[in-house]
Each structure stands twice: as structure tokens, then as C-alpha cells.
Amino acid sequence: MRQTISKTEQAVLERLTYLVGSPEIIAGMNILPARPPFDREVLEFWSHVSQALLAQRTEFPDVATFAFWIRKASIQSLRTRFLQEDGNIRLGRGMAFHVAPSNVPVNYAYSLAAGLLTGNANLVRLPTKRFPQAEWIAGKIHAVLENYPALRPYVCLVRYDRDREINDLLSRLADTRIVWGGDATIAELRKSPLAPRAGEITFADRCSL
């Protein structure tokens, strides 16, 4: 059963900083229908975001890399690998709450892209540090979304400082929680319970060789 938002919880949502979306969009996310993975409109949207990012020269190679990753040919290749002709029905889980790492400026955009491509509504918490790459990508996403009214309810990019009350609410609403921030962030987020049928994907601390 889908959960509703109280007036008190609506006030909690007003405390977030919104780069894309609004409190009203978050409040309605968990009643949105899941979309089929690699939906045609979603593929078209990311292709236009890629074009918008590549239309201007950038000093940030990570922005250019992301723009190439979401271009039409790249996503079609992902689609071929993802969609198996095995008779199974694939559909997004619902509302995904993403917590991006604080030290990788563009990671949040990859997480959002994956969430939207797999048919979910996506609430993404960006790092509180204002990386210019993150701001630039968010600005292009916001601009391109203006031409996709049916997709606007599926994307919300926010910032907020550590706040247990906000974590509790967003975790309660989520069908899936995706935590990129390492062991400490995972431990902090797990203080906020998920709904009984919700799932979680975490990326713990690791070392590179």
C-alpha cells in the first residue's frame, strides 16, 4: 500500500534545497507508476541531456565522460545487454532514494541515469559541497526536463545537511535505497528504517590496487 504525506512531513520536505524538483514532486513520487526499463522517452531524454552537455566545451573531463556515457549509441548498447528475451517482465521498483558520495562530483548523475533507465522515480541527494561539475549537469538536466513534462515527476535532485528526520522520511517513502557513501554513511542511513517491502543497494568502503 502506498504511503501518504502528512502536513508535518511536508514541512520536513520544505527544508531541503532543490536543484531539480520540489516538495510536491517528492510527495507524489511513491504513487507514480513504474516505467518499463529503457523506455523510449527516457532514452530520448538522456540523449538530449548528452547533446546539451557536449554543446559547450568543458574543462571537466568527468562531465564529458558522463555525456558520452548517456549518448544514444551508448545507452542502446546497455539496453541490448540488459533486456534479455527470456519471457520475464521487467519493470522499475518504484521510488529510489539515492545517496551520492561526497568526494565524487559526477557520481550522482550516473546513479540517477541508472535509476531512470531502469524505470524508477528518483530522489537523489547530492553532496553538500558545491562541485561545479555537479551544478552544471544538474542545470542541464533541469533545462531538458522542461521539454519532458511526463518525466518531471520522476526526477528530484536535492541537498541537505545530515538530518535524521529527513533521512527517516525519505527512507520510509522509498521502495529502494541506494547508498554510495561508504561504511560510515551506510551505518548512519540504516538508523532510518525502510518500508517492509523496500530493498537496499549499498557500496561499502573498498581499496584500489
Side-chain angles (χ1 to χ4, degrees), residues 13-185:
L13 296 179
E14 299 283 352
R15 305 207 307 257
L16 280 64
T17 299
Y18 292 84
L19 288 80
V20 175
S22 66
E24 291 72 28
I25 283 180
I26 295 178
M29 271 188 168
N30 71 347
I31 61 171
L32 288 172
R35 301 177 73 104
F38 294 90
D39 178 76
R40 180 196 58 78
E41 189 174 30
V42 172
L43 268 63
E44 185 180 278
F45 165 74
W46 283 120
S47 178
H48 285 156
V49 173
S50 176
Q51 292 168 20
L53 290 170
L54 294 172
Q56 296 174 267
R57 294 185 64 182
T58 173
E59 62 182 295
F60 302 110
D62 48 355
V63 173
T65 299
F66 174 69
F68 274 97
W69 190 75
I70 59 170
R71 75 194 192 282
K72 186 175 182 179
S74 175
I75 290 179
Q76 287 290 359
S77 176
L78 286 174
R79 182 181 186 278
T80 300
R81 290 164 53 195
F82 183 87
L83 296 179
Q84 304 292 325
E85 295 294 335
D86 55 10
N88 290 322
I89 297 172
R90 292 178 169 80
L91 200 64
R93 286 185 57 87
M95 176 182 173
F97 170 33
H98 308 245
V99 180
S102 60
N103 60 342
V104 186
V106 179
N107 176 278
Y108 85 89
Y110 286 97
S111 197
L112 168 64
L116 197 56
L117 286 168
T118 50
N120 300 288
N122 300 274
L123 167 60
V124 185
R125 180 190 176 189
L126 275 69
T128 52
K129 181 178 179 181
R130 283 163 169 73
F131 293 104
Q133 304 99 304
E135 303 289 327
W136 194 17
I137 292 173
K140 298 301 183 186
I141 289 171
H142 182 272
V144 175
L145 269 177
E146 291 301 307
N147 298 317
Y148 290 88
L151 290 183
R152 284 203 293 267
Y154 287 81
V155 180
C156 200
L157 304 180
V158 302
R159 281 198 181 95
Y160 62 91
D161 293 326
R162 289 187 179 183
D163 188 312
R164 174 69 182 275
E165 190 175 18
I166 295 175
N167 287 339
D168 285 351
L169 174 57
L170 301 185
S171 296
R172 181 180 75 84
L173 294 174
D175 296 294
T176 302
R177 184 169 61 194
I178 303 163
V179 187
W180 290 90
D183 292 1
T185 303

